[in-house]
Amino acid sequence: MQEVRWICVLLCLSAGCSSGRPFATTPNPPKATDQEMAFEKARASETDGQLARAEAAYRILSESEPKVARFHQRRGVVLTRMGHPKEGLGELEQARRLEPGNTNILNDLGYAYLQSGEPTEAAAIFKKTLEIDPQNKRANNNLALAVGYDGDLKESFRIFQSTMPEAEALSNLGYLATQNGKTDLAVKAYSRALTLEPDKKSAAEALTQLALMNQDIEMTRSIASDLDSANDGMTDAQKEFPVNPVAPAQPRAVSISQNVPGTDSVTLRNASNRSTRILVSDRDE
């Protein structure tokens, strides 16, 4: 009987029974696939601002796995940031076809349309996003931005007010009013924001830039007026070669910038390239 017992033990050990291995080790966790590692490297390049490298990596991934929506999505975002909106929109539209209910993809697609100067199309996409996720703050703020770019500042301000403090909404209204050439409204909006929050640096800097812009315009008008007066006293010979009139002052560039993943901001730039950034959306890819 004892020999039979030993034979059973030996058979159990040779067969790999769990009861014969009381100290069995836990298997090693699976390693990330090469594809996943490549995607993470591309994301790191994108975050570091190495857009050409990121785009090349996303292109390889999207071509090797054309049915993976996030590869097309990230390539579309990078192409848009690189100044290739048409190609970027193509990639983002492909991502939407693959995952039509993905709100992150919809937000990026709408933002790309906004960057391409198509606020009406952008607004439609942001509204679709909010139908899927009514609490999506990023889509709500981007919708307010798109509506404002389309000229409806009153509705834009109302939408901003629903997700952010009054002073922040007023600052965004001031930015959009500037974009629409309504500098008087912009000054009022920024001034009201400072009344509510005296320490709000973005509003104070924007007001300073608007004052400088208006000063430039007034100075140009004054110089042009002086030149007109001087030309009145010229001889006929002098009038054949008049002094070139001063070109009208141009407002300093007001641009929207899409930054590293995780942030969207509006940037107001003045002649010395100082900038004021105003939060307009809360990216959360």
Side-chain angles (χ1 to χ4, degrees):
M1 179 65 68
Q2 187 173 3
E3 290 179 359
V4 171
R5 188 180 300 112
W6 277 110
I7 290 172
C8 289
V9 170
L10 289 173
L11 286 173
C12 185
L13 290 173
S14 64
C17 296
S18 59
S19 60
R21 295 182 289 120
F23 303 106
T25 59
T26 302
N28 292 327
K31 294 182 179 180
T33 64
D34 292 342
Q35 189 179 85
E36 192 64 29
M37 290 177 65
F39 180 75
E40 290 304 320
K41 287 181 179 179
R43 287 284 280 170
S45 296
E46 181 183 349
T47 303
D48 291 341
Q50 300 177 34
L51 300 184
R53 177 178 294 181
E55 189 278 326
Y58 291 138
R59 183 176 67 251
I60 292 172
L61 286 167
S62 62
E63 289 175 351
S64 62
E65 294 290 344
K67 293 186 178 181
V68 178
R70 61 177 177 157
F71 296 162
H72 295 285
Q73 176 192 7
R74 296 317 313 165
R75 186 177 179 224
V77 169
V78 169
L79 283 167
T80 302
R81 292 178 62 193
M82 292 174 69
H84 305 295
K86 185 176 180 180
E87 295 89 337
L89 283 170
E91 287 293 307
L92 286 163
E93 286 286 8
Q94 175 63 15
R96 176 167 66 165
R97 284 191 288 272
L98 292 167
E99 294 185 16
N102 188 315
T103 55
N104 282 333
I105 291 174
L106 289 173
N107 265 316
D108 284 336
L109 176 61
Y111 196 84
Y113 273 112
L114 195 59
Q115 292 280 59
S116 300
E118 299 183 53
T120 302
E121 181 66 28
I125 293 171
F126 294 135
K127 288 176 181 177
K128 176 65 177 177
T129 307
L130 289 168
E131 288 176 6
I132 298 170
D133 180 10
Q135 304 303 316
N136 193 310
K137 180 182 176 182
R138 177 186 163 204
N140 191 86
N141 292 346
N142 281 338
L143 173 60
L145 187 66
V147 169
Y149 264 96
D150 219 12
D152 192 343
L153 297 179
K154 184 176 181 179
E155 176 64 10
S156 174
F157 181 54
R158 185 195 68 76
I159 297 171
F160 276 131
Q161 284 179 302
S162 68
T163 60
M164 60 180 59
E166 189 80 0
E168 196 70 53
L170 284 163
S171 289
N172 285 348
L173 174 62
Y175 162 75
L176 288 168
T178 304
Q179 288 289 74
N180 282 272
K182 299 182 178 181
T183 54
D184 289 344
L185 176 59
V187 169
K188 290 178 182 179
Y190 287 128
S191 298
R192 177 60 179 163
L194 284 171
T195 300
L196 295 173
E197 292 186 22
D199 296 331
K200 193 167 186 59
K201 183 182 290 187
S202 62
E205 290 178 349
L207 272 176
T208 300
Q209 292 178 34
L210 284 170
L212 288 172
M213 182 178 72
N214 290 334
Q215 183 180 11
D216 286 350
I217 293 172
E218 290 303 320
M219 185 180 297
T220 297
R221 288 173 179 167
S222 176
I223 293 172
S225 178
D226 291 344
L227 286 172
D228 287 341
S229 298
N231 286 337
D232 288 342
M234 286 182 177
T235 65
D236 291 339
Q238 289 173 321
K239 288 182 179 180
E240 291 182 10
F241 303 97
V243 178
N244 289 330
V246 178
Q250 297 296 321
R252 290 179 173 81
V254 184
S255 61
I256 186 167
S257 60
Q258 187 172 19
N259 300 311
V260 297
T263 60
D264 277 347
S265 67
V266 166
T267 303
L268 297 172
R269 297 195 177 276
N270 61 19
S272 61
N273 206 34
R274 290 196 299 269
S275 63
T276 299
R277 293 175 57 188
I278 301 173
L279 177 69
V280 294
S281 65
D282 186 14
R283 296 179 66 82
D284 57 356
E285 295 98 309

